[in-house]
Amino acid sequence: MIRRSFSSLSFLQSLLMTLCAATLVFLWALYFQQKATSHHEALAAKSAEHLNLATIAAENLRQLVDRAQAIGLVTRSDMEDLGQRHRGLVRMLAEDPVFKRMSLYDGDGQLLSASHFDEPHRLSAQWLAQLHTHTGAYGFKALLPVIDAPPSATVMPSWRLPFMLPLIDSATGKMDSILVVQLDVGYIAALFEHIDLGQTGMMRLLDHEGRERLRISNSGVVVSGAAMTPDLPGDGEVSGRLVQRSAATRYQSMYLRVPQRGFSVIVSQADDEILASSRLTYQRQLWLNLCMTLLILGSLFWTLRVLRKRQEAFNALEQAQQVNQQLIESLEEEHRRSSHAAATDHLSGLHNRRQFLEVAARSLSSQRGKRRLMAILFIDMDRFKSINDSLGHKVGDMLLQAVAGRIRRMLDADDEAARFGGDEFVVLLAGERTEEQIDAWVRALVQKLSAIYSLGEHEVTTSPSVGVSICPRDGQDVEDLIRSADAAMYSAKRAGRGQYRFFDPSLNVADVEEFILEQAFGNALKGRQFVLHYQPQVRLDSMLVDGYEALVRWEHPEFGLLYPDRFISLAERSGFIIALGWEVLRLACETLERWQSEGRQLRLAVNVSALQLHQADFSDRVLAKLSRHGIAPQWMELEITETTLLDQEGRAIDHLQRLRDAGMNISLDDFGKGYAGFAHLQSLPLTKLKIDRTLIAPLSNSPDDSPIVSSTIILAKRLGLKVVAEGVETREQVVCLRLAGCDVAQGYHFSRPLSAAQLRGYLPFNDATLNNAPFMDAAEKTCVQ
């Protein structure tokens, strides 16, 4: 479709250019044709007008000469009868002003009579010869003779125009006398003064040899004028058109020959003047044509530009369509991949949770329609966390892939399997199995998954804890069945490793509660159900509160206030421990910010899990949180456990070192509970050592009761560490710890962990600068005893 549009656009561009070119050619061809036609018509009209004017002038002159000839005949007769030669001619001149002079000669050219005494007594032989030649050719007609001495080209000889008129004897029919009449040039010019010849127009009178004898213009008789070339043709047509030039000016001349009288009349006018009106008209037409041309070219340019823009838009559209097609194909391919990825766990290749729920819902509907049993197995691999922590995530991933492969190989055509996350797998058993066959299949699965795994250089032994629920006995939908199988799995895990249990409503209440808590953990974090309680830490030298330890509590809407022993292990097992650690840090930062806004400069200790320390951005996030709340690092203390020493990559120690360099206090919690020794302490950037409550409990009145505690305090001091005793519950323990050199103590003897509201009523919290500390008297009395 777009390619057809491209060809249409190209054709339209060519068509427009062709039409515009044809229009311009037609416009200018018409202009030049009309201009040429107009010039021709103007010249033709003027030539007709000039020919008509020449005809009128020639006719007038002929009539004047003929009238003079007739008058001459009458006058001669009178003179013959009366003998009044001179007076007759004078009277004749007086009666007609056009005649300036008259002379009467006999046939031989001898003067008979004259109007003026200075007329020549004899006609020149040249004139007589011209007259005889003329009468022989045209009869006894008047003749404009050629003068003896031709005038110059620019000056006329006189203001008289001579004509020789032969007079014939009526009896013999032969010429017996010659009348020479000289016409008044000024009078003749006056006859044409009302004729508009134009600024360059002129009327000329030529003799029979083509010599100019008279030139008249609008201004009158021209006595000095430039010669006109070429001359009138010697013979040819009686009238016609002649192109002549005078200097650099081109003239159109119309001539009329009167050979019977021996003269020719030429009317001439410059071409420029004749064509001036036409040229003015076509000059305006030229500007109009130029404007039309510019308009057409501008319209063509604009149209071509629009079409080019449109073609560019079509090109861009085609490219966009190609790109879109490629994107669509890529998106379809990506959709196929993403759909597969969205439905598949990337590590195990099994269904993920969302896809499994959809597939299980269809299977449940099918099994119900066929009145068959359907079982859901919830599988959790034992010891997976310790394997993953000790051997690394790579080995842990390989173990999960191997478990998924063993499960997949045991499935029938109608069965499905999925990985829900971590080390949790779910299997759906459909088909035509009975409850006994389901039991046998689960037993075989437990044996298969309990076999040794060869993972690269490692051989790993693990086992599954499996919970089984059966539809319709244990639930009517997939979610209920999964929940029941999960509860049964917890029951199996409590029974030992490598066990499986079918769901039973009479399961241990503790197992059910733990299952409920695990299901509610995510919502508890989102709903901010976790709060902090604060236990004071007391300096034994001054018996003043040195700071507080933040202890997390869960305000469960159903079970009430829960202590860490109810949910910390659950958080570690279900993978919520990291999110819980960041929630505790957030609450601690808000607490310190609130205390500092109230003017309380107190230190707050927070417990951090080993998993949280393994995060790549742990130290960055901690410092960012402190900066965001405006808290100096020295007012927060991190408490770590001995499991941090298991960090093979050293990432946790790097984080601790960076935080210690920033000014934060680091303390090792529960020392003496595990396997950590003083050799390990040198690798940690510690500021405090917290002795576990199990070592503090045996103390009574003497530090010798527990040489381990005394030795620990001495060695910690030598390492430059402060010592904190946990779980101090009696005055005797306080005395012994003071005597042993312990720095700080915390426990029920001083205070139980306090909520935020209880802390407001705690006296040392309200005035941390009391000189008479509330714990001093009791300690002194014990020492005295």
Side-chain angles (χ1 to χ4, degrees):
M1 180 66 180
I2 291 180
R3 291 181 179 176
R4 289 202 299 270
S5 299
F6 289 162
S7 61
S8 299
L9 285 174
S10 300
F11 172 74
L12 184 58
Q13 288 178 340
S14 301
L15 180 61
L16 282 174
M17 295 177 68
T18 304
L19 288 176
C20 287
T23 302
L24 291 177
V25 169
F26 173 76
L27 181 66
W28 285 102
L30 182 63
Y31 166 76
F32 287 114
Q33 180 185 6
Q34 289 182 343
K35 181 180 179 182
T37 302
S38 176
H39 287 183
H40 177 73
E41 290 177 351
L43 292 173
K46 188 60 70 172
S47 63
E49 179 184 343
H50 288 172
L51 183 60
N52 186 43
L53 182 60
T55 302
I56 294 173
E59 184 64 23
N60 287 338
L61 188 58
R62 184 189 62 78
Q63 290 178 3
L64 285 175
V65 174
D66 290 349
R67 182 159 58 91
Q69 189 174 12
I71 293 173
L73 290 173
V74 173
T75 303
R76 189 193 63 178
S77 298
D78 290 345
M79 287 190 304
E80 290 177 352
D81 296 337
L82 300 177
Q84 299 175 352
R85 298 180 178 180
H86 177 71
R87 292 179 59 189
L89 292 178
V90 172
R91 181 168 50 87
M92 187 175 163
L93 288 176
E95 291 177 353
D96 200 337
V98 72
F99 305 131
K100 196 172 185 66
R101 289 188 179 193
M102 283 188 177
S103 300
L104 184 62
Y105 295 87
D106 61 13
D108 295 328
Q110 291 292 330
L111 180 64
L112 297 177
S113 177
S115 61
H116 292 76
F117 296 104
D118 56 350
E119 290 296 313
H121 293 282
R122 185 175 178 83
L123 289 175
S124 65
Q126 182 182 6
W127 281 26
L128 287 175
Q130 292 178 18
L131 181 61
H132 287 300
T133 303
H134 177 72
T135 56
Y138 300 106
F140 301 104
K141 302 293 183 182
L143 172 65
L144 176 64
V146 178
I147 59 176
D148 294 336
S152 66
T154 59
V155 179
M156 298 300 294
S158 68
W159 288 90
R160 299 189 297 272
L161 187 63
F163 274 88
M164 292 191 299
L165 290 72
L167 301 178
I168 61 175
D169 186 0
S170 58
T172 62
K174 295 182 179 180
M175 181 181 69
D176 60 353
S177 60
I178 300 171
L179 180 64
V180 177
V181 178
Q182 297 192 25
L183 302 181
D184 187 359
V185 171
Y187 181 83
I188 295 174
L191 294 176
F192 298 100
E193 65 180 356
H194 298 297
I195 298 175
D196 185 12
L197 294 175
Q199 293 181 354
T200 62
M202 65 185 76
M203 182 186 296
R204 293 178 293 149
L205 182 65
L206 279 64
D207 56 26
H208 66 276
E209 289 188 358
R211 296 179 182 179
E212 184 176 319
R213 305 295 295 277
L214 177 64
R215 181 181 293 190
I216 300 173
S217 67
N218 268 354
S219 58
V221 178
V222 178
V223 297
S224 178
M228 303 288 288
T229 58
D231 294 333
L232 190 67
D235 55 0
E237 297 181 352
V238 175
S239 64
R241 179 174 176 270
L242 180 66
V243 178
Q244 293 183 310
R245 292 184 180 276
S246 176
T249 306
R250 187 174 186 269
Y251 285 82
Q252 174 181 264
S253 299
M254 297 304 298
Y255 63 90
L256 178 65
R257 300 176 189 270
V258 187
Q260 299 85 352
R261 303 296 187 271
F263 67 86
S264 299
V265 178
I266 299 178
V267 180
S268 302
Q269 190 173 7
D271 286 359
D272 291 340
E273 186 177 4
I274 297 173
L275 300 176
S277 176
S278 175
R279 286 175 176 172
L280 180 61
T281 299
Y282 278 89
Q283 187 176 12
R284 290 194 291 266
Q285 184 65 34
L286 174 64
W287 285 109
L288 180 60
N289 277 24
L290 289 175
C291 293
M292 289 292 293
T293 302
L294 290 176
L295 179 62
I296 291 172
L297 292 177
S299 301
L300 176 63
F301 174 76
W302 181 84
T303 304
L304 292 178
R305 186 171 181 270
V306 170
L307 290 177
R308 186 170 62 253
K309 292 292 185 182
R310 187 176 179 184
Q311 188 165 4
E312 290 175 356
F314 276 124
N315 289 334
L317 180 60
E318 184 183 32
Q319 293 177 357
Q321 280 193 342
Q322 294 176 354
V323 173
N324 288 343
Q325 186 63 31
Q326 294 174 357
L327 287 176
I328 289 172
E329 294 174 357
S330 300
L331 287 174
E332 289 177 350
E333 181 63 25
E334 186 64 27
H335 177 69
R336 286 191 291 269
R337 289 197 299 265
S338 61
S339 297
H340 182 266
T344 306
D345 177 65
H346 71 281
L347 182 62
S348 64
L350 303 176
H351 292 310
N352 58 18
R353 184 185 185 96
R354 181 182 63 82
Q355 183 67 14
F356 178 81
L357 294 177
E358 295 177 2
V359 173
R362 291 194 296 268
S363 297
L364 178 60
S365 177
S366 175
Q367 290 295 101
R368 280 179 177 173
K370 297 176 183 179
R371 296 179 180 271
R372 296 175 181 173
L373 297 178
M374 188 184 80
I376 295 291
L377 282 63
F378 202 102
I379 306 168
D380 185 88
M381 301 305 296
D382 301 326
R383 296 179 54 253
F384 175 77
K385 182 178 180 300
S386 61
I387 294 172
N388 197 47
D389 291 343
S390 59
L391 300 180
H393 295 291
K394 182 178 180 180
V395 176
D397 291 344
M398 293 172 63
L399 175 60
L400 293 176
Q401 292 171 348
V403 170
R406 294 185 181 185
I407 293 174
R408 189 184 297 110
R409 286 189 290 272
M410 290 189 65
L411 299 177
D412 290 343
D414 295 331
D415 300 337
E416 302 289 346
R419 175 173 173 254
F420 272 25
D423 59 340
E424 294 178 345
F425 296 86
V426 178
V427 175
L428 180 149
L429 298 180
E432 298 182 0
R433 293 184 179 91
T434 63
E435 191 166 344
E436 290 76 13
Q437 290 173 325
I438 293 173
D439 183 273
W441 194 94
V442 175
R443 188 182 308 109
L445 176 67
V446 171
Q447 293 176 356
K448 180 73 78 173
L449 297 183
S450 299
I452 297 176
Y453 294 86
S454 296
L455 306 175
E457 299 176 354
H458 304 278
E459 288 190 352
V460 177
T461 301
T462 184
S463 58
S465 295
V466 184
V468 185
S469 62
I470 297 177
C471 176
R473 183 187 66 193
D474 302 327
Q476 297 298 318
D477 58 36
V478 176
E479 292 286 354
D480 290 341
L481 291 171
I482 292 175
R483 193 177 297 109
S484 298
D486 196 6
M489 183 273 294
Y490 275 107
S491 177
K493 189 173 285 292
R494 286 183 175 275
R497 297 176 181 174
Q499 301 292 323
Y500 69 94
R501 291 287 184 272
F502 284 82
F503 178 76
D504 186 348
S506 62
L507 288 174
N508 190 299
V509 175
D511 295 339
V512 176
E513 286 186 0
E514 187 173 0
F515 171 72
I516 294 173
L517 290 178
E518 182 180 359
Q519 298 295 319
F521 214 104
N523 292 330
L525 288 170
K526 294 179 182 178
R528 297 192 173 183
Q529 296 177 7
F530 293 96
V531 296
L532 296 182
H533 283 201
Y534 309 93
Q535 188 173 35
Q537 295 178 337
V538 180
R539 292 186 59 86
L540 294 179
D541 57 352
S542 63
M543 299 306 290
L544 294 175
V545 175
D546 184 57
Y548 294 86
E549 180 180 3
L551 302 172
V552 65
R553 302 289 187 263
W554 185 355
E555 289 185 338
H556 195 280
E558 181 179 353
F559 300 120
L561 189 66
L562 301 179
Y563 288 85
D565 58 345
R566 293 286 302 276
F567 59 84
I568 290 298
S569 60
L570 180 65
E572 292 176 345
R573 197 165 55 247
S574 59
F576 287 109
I577 188 64
I578 294 177
L580 178 61
W582 288 116
E583 177 68 8
V584 171
L585 280 171
R586 183 188 67 80
L587 294 172
C589 289
E590 291 178 354
T591 299
L592 285 172
E593 183 180 17
R594 184 170 59 252
W595 286 356
Q596 292 186 4
S597 65
E598 296 172 354
R600 307 177 192 277
Q601 299 295 329
L602 297 171
R603 185 181 294 107
L604 185 63
V606 179
N607 289 277
V608 179
S609 71
L611 289 177
Q612 195 171 3
L613 279 170
H614 291 160
Q615 288 186 290
D617 59 345
F618 174 76
S619 57
D620 292 332
R621 290 181 65 179
V622 171
L623 294 175
K625 282 181 176 292
L626 292 175
S627 176
R628 185 162 55 249
H629 289 276
I631 302 168
Q634 64 265 23
W635 298 112
M636 178 171 284
E637 180 180 316
L638 296 185
E639 294 189 2
I640 61 174
T641 59
E642 294 177 349
T643 54
T644 305
L645 298 173
L646 300 175
D647 181 21
Q648 297 178 350
E649 299 177 358
R651 179 178 294 173
I653 297 176
D654 291 341
H655 286 312
L656 294 175
Q657 186 62 55
R658 184 182 177 194
L659 295 174
R660 182 70 191 94
D661 293 340
M664 188 175 293
N665 293 290
I666 310 294
S667 62
L668 181 63
D669 197 12
D670 300 333
F671 183 78
K673 184 177 181 181
Y675 61 87
F678 282 95
H680 298 96
L681 299 183
Q682 293 180 344
S683 63
L684 297 175
L686 301 175
T687 57
K688 289 184 180 180
L689 185 70
K690 298 186 71 173
I691 302 175
D692 188 68
R693 64 180 65 249
T694 57
L695 298 178
I696 301 300
L699 293 179
S700 57
N701 289 327
S702 171
D704 297 333
D705 291 343
S706 179
I708 296 177
V709 173
S710 301
S711 301
T712 299
I713 294 173
I714 293 170
L715 291 175
K717 292 283 189 178
R718 290 185 178 180
L719 291 174
L721 303 177
K722 290 184 177 181
V723 180
V724 180
E726 293 183 301
V728 178
E729 298 181 357
T730 64
R731 288 178 293 178
E732 290 76 10
Q733 292 173 346
V734 173
V735 172
C736 291
L737 290 171
R738 287 185 68 183
L739 293 175
C742 183
D743 299 298
V744 180
Q746 70 179 84
Y748 286 178
H749 174 71
F750 301 104
S751 174
R752 288 177 172 272
L754 305 172
S755 66
Q758 294 171 337
L759 190 61
R760 293 290 176 180
Y762 184 54
L763 183 60
F765 179 77
N766 291 322
D767 190 356
T769 60
L770 290 175
N771 293 324
N772 187 13
F775 311 111
M776 184 65 73
D777 294 341
E780 290 179 349
K781 291 178 181 178
T782 304
C783 293
V784 171
Q785 292 175 357

Short mmCIF file of all heavy atoms in Angstrom, two decimals, residues 318-353:
data_model
loop_
_atom_site.label_atom_id
_atom_site.label_comp_id
_atom_site.label_asym_id
_atom_site.label_seq_id
_atom_site.Cartn_x
_atom_site.Cartn_y
_atom_site.Cartn_z
N GLU A 318 7.11 4.12 6.28
CA GLU A 318 7.50 2.80 5.83
C GLU A 318 8.62 2.25 6.72
O GLU A 318 8.58 1.08 7.13
CB GLU A 318 7.97 2.85 4.38
CG GLU A 318 8.30 1.45 3.83
CD GLU A 318 8.82 1.50 2.42
OE1 GLU A 318 9.48 2.50 2.08
OE2 GLU A 318 8.57 0.55 1.67
N GLN A 319 9.59 3.14 7.02
CA GLN A 319 10.65 2.70 7.92
C GLN A 319 10.09 2.34 9.28
O GLN A 319 10.49 1.35 9.89
CB GLN A 319 11.71 3.79 8.04
CG GLN A 319 12.48 4.05 6.76
CD GLN A 319 13.47 5.19 6.90
OE1 GLN A 319 13.53 5.82 7.95
NE2 GLN A 319 14.21 5.47 5.84
N ALA A 320 9.14 3.20 9.74
CA ALA A 320 8.51 2.91 11.04
C ALA A 320 7.75 1.59 10.99
O ALA A 320 7.78 0.82 11.95
CB ALA A 320 7.58 4.06 11.43
N GLN A 321 7.08 1.36 9.83
CA GLN A 321 6.36 0.09 9.71
C GLN A 321 7.33 -1.09 9.71
O GLN A 321 7.05 -2.12 10.32
CB GLN A 321 5.52 0.09 8.44
CG GLN A 321 4.21 0.85 8.58
CD GLN A 321 3.28 0.57 7.42
OE1 GLN A 321 3.71 0.09 6.39
NE2 GLN A 321 2.02 0.87 7.58
N GLN A 322 8.45 -0.90 9.01
CA GLN A 322 9.44 -1.98 9.02
C GLN A 322 9.98 -2.20 10.42
O GLN A 322 10.11 -3.34 10.88
CB GLN A 322 10.58 -1.64 8.05
CG GLN A 322 10.17 -1.61 6.59
CD GLN A 322 11.29 -1.16 5.67
OE1 GLN A 322 12.35 -0.77 6.16
NE2 GLN A 322 11.06 -1.22 4.38
N VAL A 323 10.29 -1.04 11.09
CA VAL A 323 10.78 -1.16 12.47
C VAL A 323 9.71 -1.77 13.36
O VAL A 323 9.99 -2.64 14.20
CB VAL A 323 11.21 0.23 13.00
CG1 VAL A 323 11.54 0.15 14.48
CG2 VAL A 323 12.41 0.74 12.22
N ASN A 324 8.44 -1.31 13.14
CA ASN A 324 7.34 -1.85 13.95
C ASN A 324 7.17 -3.33 13.69
O ASN A 324 6.90 -4.11 14.62
CB ASN A 324 6.04 -1.10 13.63
CG ASN A 324 6.02 0.30 14.20
OD1 ASN A 324 6.82 0.61 15.08
ND2 ASN A 324 5.15 1.15 13.71
N GLN A 325 7.31 -3.71 12.40
CA GLN A 325 7.17 -5.13 12.09
C GLN A 325 8.27 -5.93 12.78
O GLN A 325 8.01 -7.00 13.34
CB GLN A 325 7.23 -5.32 10.57
CG GLN A 325 6.96 -6.74 10.12
CD GLN A 325 5.55 -7.19 10.47
OE1 GLN A 325 4.63 -6.39 10.51
NE2 GLN A 325 5.40 -8.47 10.75
N GLN A 326 9.49 -5.35 12.72
CA GLN A 326 10.58 -6.03 13.41
C GLN A 326 10.33 -6.08 14.92
O GLN A 326 10.58 -7.09 15.57
CB GLN A 326 11.90 -5.32 13.12
CG GLN A 326 12.33 -5.40 11.67
CD GLN A 326 13.57 -4.57 11.38
OE1 GLN A 326 14.06 -3.87 12.27
NE2 GLN A 326 14.05 -4.62 10.15
N LEU A 327 9.82 -4.91 15.43
CA LEU A 327 9.52 -4.88 16.87
C LEU A 327 8.42 -5.87 17.23
O LEU A 327 8.48 -6.53 18.26
CB LEU A 327 9.11 -3.46 17.28
CG LEU A 327 10.24 -2.42 17.33
CD1 LEU A 327 9.66 -1.06 17.65
CD2 LEU A 327 11.26 -2.81 18.38
N ILE A 328 7.39 -5.93 16.32
CA ILE A 328 6.29 -6.86 16.59
C ILE A 328 6.82 -8.29 16.61
O ILE A 328 6.48 -9.09 17.50
CB ILE A 328 5.18 -6.69 15.54
CG1 ILE A 328 4.46 -5.34 15.75
CG2 ILE A 328 4.18 -7.83 15.61
CD1 ILE A 328 3.49 -4.99 14.66
N GLU A 329 7.66 -8.59 15.60
CA GLU A 329 8.23 -9.95 15.57
C GLU A 329 9.10 -10.18 16.81
O GLU A 329 9.04 -11.25 17.41
CB GLU A 329 9.06 -10.12 14.30
CG GLU A 329 8.22 -10.09 13.02
CD GLU A 329 9.07 -10.11 11.77
OE1 GLU A 329 10.32 -10.09 11.93
OE2 GLU A 329 8.51 -10.16 10.65
N SER A 330 9.90 -9.13 17.16
CA SER A 330 10.73 -9.28 18.36
C SER A 330 9.88 -9.42 19.61
O SER A 330 10.17 -10.24 20.49
CB SER A 330 11.66 -8.07 18.49
OG SER A 330 12.51 -7.95 17.38
N LEU A 331 8.79 -8.59 19.65
CA LEU A 331 7.91 -8.66 20.82
C LEU A 331 7.21 -10.01 20.89
O LEU A 331 7.01 -10.56 21.98
CB LEU A 331 6.89 -7.52 20.77
CG LEU A 331 7.43 -6.12 21.06
CD1 LEU A 331 6.35 -5.07 20.84
CD2 LEU A 331 7.94 -6.04 22.50
N GLU A 332 6.79 -10.50 19.70
CA GLU A 332 6.13 -11.81 19.71
C GLU A 332 7.10 -12.88 20.19
O GLU A 332 6.74 -13.75 20.99
CB GLU A 332 5.62 -12.13 18.31
CG GLU A 332 4.41 -11.28 17.89
CD GLU A 332 3.99 -11.56 16.47
OE1 GLU A 332 4.75 -12.27 15.76
OE2 GLU A 332 2.89 -11.10 16.07
N GLU A 333 8.35 -12.78 19.67
CA GLU A 333 9.35 -13.75 20.12
C GLU A 333 9.65 -13.56 21.60
O GLU A 333 9.75 -14.54 22.35
CB GLU A 333 10.62 -13.58 19.29
CG GLU A 333 11.74 -14.55 19.65
CD GLU A 333 11.36 -16.00 19.38
OE1 GLU A 333 10.49 -16.23 18.51
OE2 GLU A 333 11.92 -16.89 20.05
N GLU A 334 9.76 -12.26 21.98
CA GLU A 334 10.02 -11.98 23.39
C GLU A 334 8.84 -12.41 24.25
O GLU A 334 9.01 -12.89 25.37
CB GLU A 334 10.30 -10.49 23.57
CG GLU A 334 10.72 -10.10 24.97
CD GLU A 334 12.04 -10.73 25.39
OE1 GLU A 334 12.86 -11.02 24.49
OE2 GLU A 334 12.23 -10.93 26.59
N HIS A 335 7.62 -12.24 23.68
CA HIS A 335 6.43 -12.65 24.42
C HIS A 335 6.43 -14.16 24.62
O HIS A 335 6.07 -14.66 25.70
CB HIS A 335 5.17 -12.22 23.67
CG HIS A 335 3.90 -12.68 24.32
ND1 HIS A 335 3.46 -12.18 25.53
CD2 HIS A 335 2.98 -13.60 23.94
CE1 HIS A 335 2.33 -12.76 25.86
NE2 HIS A 335 2.01 -13.63 24.92
N ARG A 336 6.83 -14.86 23.54
CA ARG A 336 6.91 -16.32 23.69
C ARG A 336 7.94 -16.70 24.75
O ARG A 336 7.68 -17.56 25.60
CB ARG A 336 7.25 -16.96 22.34
CG ARG A 336 6.12 -16.96 21.34
CD ARG A 336 6.44 -17.83 20.14
NE ARG A 336 7.49 -17.27 19.33
CZ ARG A 336 7.30 -16.45 18.30
NH1 ARG A 336 6.07 -16.09 17.97
NH2 ARG A 336 8.31 -15.98 17.60
N ARG A 337 9.11 -16.01 24.65
CA ARG A 337 10.14 -16.32 25.66
C ARG A 337 9.70 -15.90 27.05
O ARG A 337 9.89 -16.64 28.03
CB ARG A 337 11.44 -15.62 25.29
CG ARG A 337 12.14 -16.22 24.09
CD ARG A 337 13.60 -15.78 24.04
NE ARG A 337 13.71 -14.34 23.93
CZ ARG A 337 13.84 -13.68 22.77
NH1 ARG A 337 13.87 -14.37 21.64
NH2 ARG A 337 13.96 -12.37 22.76
N SER A 338 9.12 -14.66 27.13
CA SER A 338 8.71 -14.18 28.45
C SER A 338 7.55 -14.99 29.01
O SER A 338 7.46 -15.20 30.22
CB SER A 338 8.32 -12.69 28.36
OG SER A 338 7.23 -12.51 27.49
N SER A 339 6.65 -15.42 28.08
CA SER A 339 5.54 -16.26 28.56
C SER A 339 6.08 -17.56 29.13
O SER A 339 5.64 -18.03 30.18
CB SER A 339 4.57 -16.54 27.41
OG SER A 339 3.98 -15.34 26.95
N HIS A 340 7.07 -18.09 28.39
CA HIS A 340 7.69 -19.32 28.90
C HIS A 340 8.45 -19.04 30.19
O HIS A 340 8.39 -19.81 31.16
CB HIS A 340 8.62 -19.91 27.84
CG HIS A 340 9.27 -21.19 28.27
ND1 HIS A 340 10.52 -21.23 28.86
CD2 HIS A 340 8.83 -22.47 28.21
CE1 HIS A 340 10.83 -22.48 29.14
NE2 HIS A 340 9.82 -23.27 28.74
N ALA A 341 9.18 -17.86 30.19
CA ALA A 341 9.93 -17.52 31.40
C ALA A 341 9.00 -17.19 32.55
O ALA A 341 9.28 -17.51 33.70
CB ALA A 341 10.85 -16.32 31.11
N ALA A 342 7.86 -16.51 32.20
CA ALA A 342 6.91 -16.16 33.26
C ALA A 342 6.26 -17.40 33.85
O ALA A 342 5.82 -17.39 35.00
CB ALA A 342 5.85 -15.21 32.72
N ALA A 343 6.18 -18.44 33.02
CA ALA A 343 5.52 -19.66 33.50
C ALA A 343 6.52 -20.67 34.03
O ALA A 343 6.12 -21.72 34.52
CB ALA A 343 4.70 -20.29 32.37
N THR A 344 7.80 -20.37 33.94
CA THR A 344 8.82 -21.35 34.29
C THR A 344 9.80 -20.76 35.30
O THR A 344 10.18 -19.60 35.19
CB THR A 344 9.58 -21.79 33.03
OG1 THR A 344 8.66 -22.25 32.05
CG2 THR A 344 10.58 -22.90 33.34
N ASP A 345 10.18 -21.58 36.24
CA ASP A 345 11.24 -21.19 37.16
C ASP A 345 12.57 -21.30 36.43
O ASP A 345 12.91 -22.35 35.86
CB ASP A 345 11.22 -22.12 38.37
CG ASP A 345 12.36 -21.82 39.33
OD1 ASP A 345 12.36 -20.72 39.91
OD2 ASP A 345 13.25 -22.68 39.46
N HIS A 346 13.32 -20.21 36.40
CA HIS A 346 14.53 -20.16 35.57
C HIS A 346 15.61 -21.11 36.04
O HIS A 346 16.46 -21.55 35.25
CB HIS A 346 15.08 -18.73 35.56
CG HIS A 346 15.69 -18.31 36.86
ND1 HIS A 346 14.93 -17.91 37.94
CD2 HIS A 346 16.99 -18.25 37.26
CE1 HIS A 346 15.73 -17.61 38.94
NE2 HIS A 346 16.98 -17.80 38.57
N LEU A 347 15.60 -21.46 37.30
CA LEU A 347 16.66 -22.31 37.83
C LEU A 347 16.37 -23.79 37.62
O LEU A 347 17.21 -24.55 37.13
CB LEU A 347 16.88 -22.01 39.32
CG LEU A 347 18.00 -22.80 40.01
CD1 LEU A 347 19.34 -22.47 39.38
CD2 LEU A 347 18.02 -22.48 41.51
N SER A 348 15.15 -24.20 37.94
CA SER A 348 14.81 -25.62 37.91
C SER A 348 14.18 -26.05 36.59
O SER A 348 14.18 -27.24 36.27
CB SER A 348 13.87 -25.95 39.06
OG SER A 348 12.63 -25.24 38.90
N GLY A 349 13.60 -25.11 35.83
CA GLY A 349 12.90 -25.47 34.62
C GLY A 349 11.50 -25.96 34.87
O GLY A 349 10.77 -26.31 33.93
N LEU A 350 11.05 -25.99 36.13
CA LEU A 350 9.68 -26.39 36.47
C LEU A 350 8.77 -25.17 36.41
O LEU A 350 9.21 -24.05 36.17
CB LEU A 350 9.65 -27.00 37.87
CG LEU A 350 10.55 -28.21 38.12
CD1 LEU A 350 10.46 -28.64 39.59
CD2 LEU A 350 10.16 -29.37 37.20
N HIS A 351 7.48 -25.41 36.59
CA HIS A 351 6.53 -24.29 36.66
C HIS A 351 6.90 -23.39 37.83
O HIS A 351 7.42 -23.86 38.85
CB HIS A 351 5.09 -24.80 36.88
CG HIS A 351 4.53 -25.54 35.69
ND1 HIS A 351 4.57 -25.06 34.41
CD2 HIS A 351 3.90 -26.75 35.60
CE1 HIS A 351 4.01 -25.91 33.59
NE2 HIS A 351 3.59 -26.96 34.29
N ASN A 352 6.60 -22.07 37.67
CA ASN A 352 6.69 -21.21 38.84
C ASN A 352 5.33 -21.22 39.55
O ASN A 352 4.40 -21.91 39.13
CB ASN A 352 7.11 -19.79 38.45
CG ASN A 352 6.16 -19.16 37.45
OD1 ASN A 352 5.03 -19.60 37.27
ND2 ASN A 352 6.64 -18.12 36.78
N ARG A 353 5.24 -20.45 40.62
CA ARG A 353 4.04 -20.50 41.46
C ARG A 353 2.79 -20.09 40.67
O ARG A 353 1.75 -20.77 40.74
CB ARG A 353 4.23 -19.59 42.67
CG ARG A 353 3.09 -19.64 43.66
CD ARG A 353 3.26 -18.63 44.78
NE ARG A 353 2.22 -18.77 45.78
CZ ARG A 353 2.34 -19.47 46.90
NH1 ARG A 353 3.49 -20.09 47.17
NH2 ARG A 353 1.34 -19.58 47.75
#
